[in-house]
């Protein structure tokens, strides 16, 4: 997570690098997880005053997600948050990705190309899918 990147691997080889932002401090849990069945084209958390698009769960069935940069209550991307992508941890624990990358990952999950159970490894140094 220190480099604000997420790496997609196939056969132990990195095939794509996503700019990403994980949680501030230690809000993104480290460990070995797997993608889960929960996905959402959009969600909004009124308590946080923001939501996101293109969510794919990787821990606690919808609590920890890969998703787009945040949106406000009207569905508009929050540029001040988007500008942090790839530069600094800024989420509440999820892994934020660009709009394009989060939509791509979401579509892979929906199509089964990224099957439920795909390993996800998160450490203080990097995130691997």
């Amino acid at each position: 997570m220190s480099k604000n990147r997420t790496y997609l691997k196939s056969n132990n080889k990195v095939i794509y690098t996503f700019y990403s932002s994980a949680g501030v401090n230690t809000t993104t849990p480290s460990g070995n997880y797997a993608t889960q069945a929960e996905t959402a084209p959009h969600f909004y958390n009124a308590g946080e005053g923001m939501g996101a698009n293109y969510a794919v769960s990787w821990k606690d069935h919808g609590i920890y997600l890969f998703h787009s940069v945040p949106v406000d209550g009207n569905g508009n991307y929050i540029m001040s948050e988007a500008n942090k992508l790839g530069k600094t941890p800024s989420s509440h624990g999820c892994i934020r990705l660009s709009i394009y990358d989060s939509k791509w990952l979401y579509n892979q999950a929906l199509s089964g190309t990224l099957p439920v159970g795909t390993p996800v490894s998160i450490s203080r140094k990097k995130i691997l899918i």
Side-chain angles (χ1 to χ4, degrees):
M1 290 186 279
S2 62
K3 292 186 179 186
N4 297 293
R5 304 289 187 273
T6 297
Y7 304 95
L8 180 64
K9 292 178 72 176
S10 178
N11 298 320
N12 288 325
K13 181 178 178 182
V14 173
I15 60 171
Y16 190 77
T17 301
F18 302 94
Y19 286 105
S20 61
S21 291
V24 295
N25 301 318
T26 57
T27 55
T28 300
S30 295
N32 294 311
Y33 307 99
T35 57
Q36 298 174 323
E38 294 78 14
T39 60
H42 174 79
F43 69 90
Y44 183 75
N45 183 326
E48 293 176 356
M50 63 178 68
N53 296 321
Y54 313 120
V56 177
S57 183
W58 54 269
K59 183 179 184 323
D60 293 345
H61 301 281
I63 302 299
Y64 292 94
L65 308 161
F66 291 104
H67 62 67
S68 73
V69 293
V71 297
D72 64 21
N74 295 316
N76 300 308
Y77 289 102
I78 303 170
M79 293 312 297
S80 60
E81 291 296 319
N83 289 334
K84 297 175 185 177
L85 188 67
K87 297 176 185 170
T88 184
S90 54
S91 80
H92 299 98
C94 292
I95 307 297
R96 294 178 179 175
L97 303 172
S98 73
I99 299 162
Y100 177 87
D101 289 340
S102 61
K103 185 176 184 179
W104 180 86
L105 193 67
Y106 172 79
N107 285 333
Q108 299 309 301
L110 288 182
S111 72
T113 304
L114 179 77
V116 170
T118 298
V120 174
S121 176
I122 298 177
S123 74
R124 296 305 307 157
K125 295 189 178 191
K126 68 173 68 171
I127 301 164
L128 299 171
I129 304 173

